[in-house]
Amino acid sequence: MKKVRVFAPASIANMGCGFDVIGLALDDVGDIIEITESEGDGLTIINKSGVPMPEDIEMNVITPVVRSFLQRIGKKAKIEVTICEKIYPGSGIGSSAASSAAAAYGMNELFGCPLSEEEVVLCAMEGERLASGGYHADNAAPAVMGGIVLIRGYEPLDIIKLPVPGNFYCAVVHPHLVVNTKEAREILPKEVPMHDAVSQWGNVGGLVAGLCTGNIGLIGRSMKDSIAEPYRKKFIPGFDELRGNLHDVGVLAMNISGSGPSVFALCDKNEVAEKAGGMMRRHFEGRDIGCEVYVVKVSNKGCKLMGISI
Amino acid sequence: MKKVRVFAPASIANMGCGFDVIGLALDDVGDIIEITESEGDGLTIINKSGVPMPEDIEMNVITPVVRSFLQRIGKKAKIEVTICEKIYPGSGIGSSAASSAAAAYGMNELFGCPLSEEEVVLCAMEGERLASGGYHADNAAPAVMGGIVLIRGYEPLDIIKLPVPGNFYCAVVHPHLVVNTKEAREILPKEVPMHDAVSQWGNVGGLVAGLCTGNIGLIGRSMKDSIAEPYRKKFIPGFDELRGNLHDVGVLAMNISGSGPSVFALCDKNEVAEKAGGMMRRHFEGRDIGCEVYVVKVSNKGCKLMGISI
């Protein structure tokens, strides 16, 4: 019997303008799972995280990831996954991606790393497909690979790890408003005005140029979302007011994390991120909305192997 | 009486994915104008280029540029512009932008450079407004500044000069099919499918990352246009066949230049660009369509002062 214990980080999709194509990994916050392999066939998932999850394994994102991994390597095995720590689902900081990434990365470690990093992302994306009905990698790729990641295209998958100039910190708030990823995607229009689309790709170009050249001001002013934010911010009470206040304390940008309801502020100083975090807490608690706040570094590390026994 | 003689280069807008936000300047091909200033008021435009142009100066892009410049600096003057060499209008290599850029840059030189480079671009954009009905800088900015330029946003104008890694060459063909910029814009839909928009900004991110990090392969595979090309390529006989053939000789990418009908191939070797140019000529001449072919370097220089007398 072989066993691994792995960590997969939380992640923030979109970074404002990069809807479905850019994501970043966070330090320390994430999922921890253990996977054991023994002879035979079948999959068991045990949830010890304290976070409620569906009983039916067919509803758990880990299931399609494990199956996709085994199919890729052409093996059968009896797999038992224990979920030890889990980001709360619906938090908008890549809960399903963390589970999916942990499962894909963990399986790969368990079987002696037969897959490339990109193939590990492809396995993790099978979990994302179950969670949201879409096939996207803007959380899964940074969760696996760490740092800030661009998914240039999906046919075929083309993942570009972007430079992270200096130290970036995120203040992230998860207000206790459940927004289902699938629903948050469904409120978006199927077509977007040309003018907004042009703004969006101008900003994506600016964000990538800012990251590649270490132009912090350019990064901040490029993180604008003309496409999803106008629809999704309605789920978040006082969104514009919160943004105004956060800009006043010096954050580079504030956006919805993925499909929300979490909101994050990108900062180039830890003390600004700390201030932003406090402000976020007061914003929601003052509206009688419970929340968790994280102030964490943008991580250059994705999944981590925490232990292995053979 | 003061007089300047200036050159403004041809330019290629969009570079595939960067519709309305990216453009590059070409070496050697462009407009040459002379501007004289004397006491008094009024504007005269004399066309010695041999290229037919409207008699009415209100229809000439130079007019709003000169007026906008004088308005910005708060002066009156008697201006005479002589057009010495002119890119053929409707060629799709930034004919109106070259005139506009030459006028804006020339006026600025004539008056002792009171405006910043960005303000010169803003003046040049007044010419683009007359030519196309839109307010865009994806030809005007590279024509003024040279190199490869990203227009991150228009409100306010935010121009980012991108690195040009190594030597790039363009083979450009101008087939004698007149496509009016305004018409070529009007056939585009007002709304674009979300899926195509996401592809487009993934590619813009890839192109900018490729330029900034010197990843030539990434540059080439990012230069895909899901938005305008499907509509505009219909104006260009045998478009897909030409692309296939050009890729076979090793071009990095082939796209429509701006609104067309010119087509360009980006190459990282001069000999490939020469081959591509020959292929382009044979493609159109074989279809009884006359054409001009240019094989030129991507320029890091925009407008140039060729002479001044005071």
Side-chain angles (χ1 to χ4, degrees), chain A residues 165-192:
Chain A
N167 289 326
F168 281 128
Y169 301 86
C170 282
V172 190
V173 60
H174 170 205
H176 294 164
L177 311 154
V178 174
V179 178
N180 176 284
T181 307
K182 212 165 177 170
E183 275 173 44
R185 292 187 79 83
E186 279 167 3
I187 64 154
L188 299 181
K190 301 263 178 297
E191 303 223 312
V192 297

Side-chain angles (χ1 to χ4, degrees), chain A residues 17-21 150-155 158-160 162-163 188-209 212-213 215 218 221-224 227, chain B residues 17-21 150-155 158-160 162-163 188-209 212-213 215 218 221-224 227:
Chain A
C17 53
F19 178 72
D20 270 6
V21 306
L150 166 74
I151 298 101
R152 187 200 59 82
Y154 283 89
E155 294 150 13
D158 188 7
I159 303 176
I160 315 296
L162 299 172
L188 299 181
K190 301 263 178 297
E191 303 223 312
V192 297
M194 180 72 88
H195 177 267
D196 294 339
V198 171
S199 296
Q200 195 86 350
W201 61 67
N203 281 318
V204 168
L207 175 55
V208 172
C212 290
T213 61
N215 184 334
L218 178 56
R221 66 182 189 270
S222 300
M223 287 173 65
K224 290 196 186 120
I227 301 295
Chain B
C17 51
F19 178 72
D20 270 3
V21 306
L150 167 74
I151 297 101
R152 187 200 59 82
Y154 283 88
E155 293 149 14
D158 188 6
I159 302 176
I160 315 295
L162 299 172
L188 300 181
K190 301 264 178 298
E191 304 222 312
V192 296
M194 179 73 88
H195 176 267
D196 294 339
V198 171
S199 296
Q200 194 87 350
W201 60 68
N203 281 319
V204 168
L207 174 55
V208 173
C212 290
T213 61
N215 183 335
L218 177 57
R221 66 182 189 269
S222 300
M223 288 173 64
K224 290 195 184 120
I227 301 296

Side-chain angles (χ1 to χ4, degrees), chain B residues 45-221:
Chain B
I45 300 175
I46 300 158
N47 178 18
K48 292 188 178 170
S49 68
V51 174
M53 298 188 75
E55 293 283 316
D56 179 3
I57 69 160
E58 299 303 325
M59 301 293 284
N60 191 313
V61 297
I62 288 173
T63 303
V65 175
V66 169
R67 286 188 187 140
S68 151
F69 177 87
L70 290 171
Q71 195 176 16
R72 275 181 183 266
I73 66 165
K75 284 193 180 166
K76 285 192 173 180
K78 188 171 192 312
I79 300 293
E80 186 180 290
V81 178
T82 305
I83 302 166
C84 307
E85 292 186 22
K86 176 80 212 95
I87 304 168
Y88 220 88
S91 64
I93 53 169
S95 171
S96 60
S99 296
S100 305
Y105 175 84
M107 288 293 286
N108 199 40
E109 291 293 326
L110 197 60
F111 283 81
C113 299
L115 300 191
S116 70
E117 204 172 40
E118 199 152 288
E119 290 170 312
V120 171
V121 174
L122 281 166
C123 289
M125 285 169 71
E126 295 299 329
E128 291 294 72
R129 197 203 292 271
L130 176 62
S132 72
Y135 193 60
H136 55 103
D138 48 346
N139 286 104
V144 170
M145 301 165 73
I148 301 177
V149 172
L150 167 74
I151 297 101
R152 187 200 59 82
Y154 283 88
E155 293 149 14
L157 187 64
D158 188 6
I159 302 176
I160 315 295
K161 205 164 168 183
L162 299 172
V164 183
N167 289 326
F168 281 127
Y169 302 86
C170 282
V172 190
V173 60
H174 170 206
H176 294 163
L177 312 154
V178 174
V179 178
N180 177 283
T181 308
K182 211 165 179 171
E183 275 173 45
R185 292 187 78 83
E186 279 167 4
I187 63 154
L188 300 181
K190 301 264 178 298
E191 304 222 312
V192 296
M194 179 73 88
H195 176 267
D196 294 339
V198 171
S199 296
Q200 194 87 350
W201 60 68
N203 281 319
V204 168
L207 174 55
V208 173
L211 289 167
C212 290
T213 61
N215 183 335
I216 306 291
L218 177 57
I219 293 168
R221 66 182 189 269

Side-chain angles (χ1 to χ4, degrees), chain A residues 25-303:
Chain A
L26 297 173
D27 245 358
D28 301 330
V29 185
D31 281 16
I32 295 175
I33 67 170
E34 292 173 353
I35 315 179
T36 59
E37 180 223 346
S38 49
E39 274 199 33
D41 197 2
L43 171 65
T44 315
I45 300 176
I46 300 158
N47 178 17
K48 291 188 179 169
S49 68
V51 175
M53 297 188 75
E55 294 282 316
D56 179 3
I57 69 161
E58 299 302 326
M59 301 291 285
N60 191 312
V61 298
I62 288 174
T63 303
V65 175
V66 169
R67 284 189 189 142
S68 150
F69 177 86
L70 290 171
Q71 196 177 13
R72 273 180 186 268
I73 66 164
K75 283 194 180 166
K76 284 191 173 180
K78 190 171 190 313
I79 301 293
E80 187 180 288
V81 178
T82 305
I83 302 165
C84 308
E85 291 187 22
K86 176 80 213 95
I87 304 168
Y88 220 88
S91 64
I93 52 169
S95 171
S96 60
S99 295
S100 304
Y105 175 84
M107 288 293 286
N108 200 40
E109 291 293 324
L110 196 61
F111 283 82
C113 299
L115 300 191
S116 69
E117 204 172 39
E118 199 153 288
E119 289 170 314
V120 171
V121 174
L122 281 166
C123 289
M125 286 170 71
E126 295 299 328
E128 292 292 74
R129 195 203 293 270
L130 176 62
S132 72
Y135 193 60
H136 56 103
D138 48 347
N139 286 105
V144 170
M145 301 165 74
I148 301 178
V149 172
L150 166 74
I151 298 101
R152 187 200 59 82
Y154 283 89
E155 294 150 13
L157 186 65
D158 188 7
I159 303 176
I160 315 296
K161 205 164 169 186
L162 299 172
V164 183
N167 289 326
F168 281 128
Y169 301 86
C170 282
V172 190
V173 60
H174 170 205
H176 294 164
L177 311 154
V178 174
V179 178
N180 176 284
T181 307
K182 212 165 177 170
E183 275 173 44
R185 292 187 79 83
E186 279 167 3
I187 64 154
L188 299 181
K190 301 263 178 297
E191 303 223 312
V192 297
M194 180 72 88
H195 177 267
D196 294 339
V198 171
S199 296
Q200 195 86 350
W201 61 67
N203 281 318
V204 168
L207 175 55
V208 172
L211 290 167
C212 290
T213 61
N215 184 334
I216 306 293
L218 178 56
I219 293 169
R221 66 182 189 270
S222 300
M223 287 173 65
K224 290 196 186 120
D225 174 15
S226 318
I227 301 295
E229 185 183 292
Y231 296 91
R232 289 178 173 170
K233 73 177 183 180
K234 296 169 196 159
F235 293 127
I236 302 160
F239 182 88
D240 291 324
E241 184 189 328
L242 178 59
R243 171 177 280 158
N245 293 337
L246 289 169
H247 276 280
D248 288 344
V249 298
V251 308
L252 298 173
M254 178 275 228
N255 294 102
I256 300 171
S257 170
S259 53
S262 287
V263 163
F264 76 101
L266 187 75
C267 309
D268 62 343
K269 290 183 191 74
N270 190 33
E271 54 273 28
V272 174
E274 291 286 353
K275 261 192 215 166
M279 189 171 267
M280 288 167 160
R281 181 179 296 287
R282 288 191 298 280
H283 178 86
F284 288 105
E285 289 183 351
R287 285 167 171 78
D288 288 327
I289 300 164
C291 61
E292 285 96 41
V293 172
Y294 312 95
V295 176
V296 283
K297 253 181 89 167
V298 175
S299 176
N300 255 317
K301 195 90 186 100
C303 288

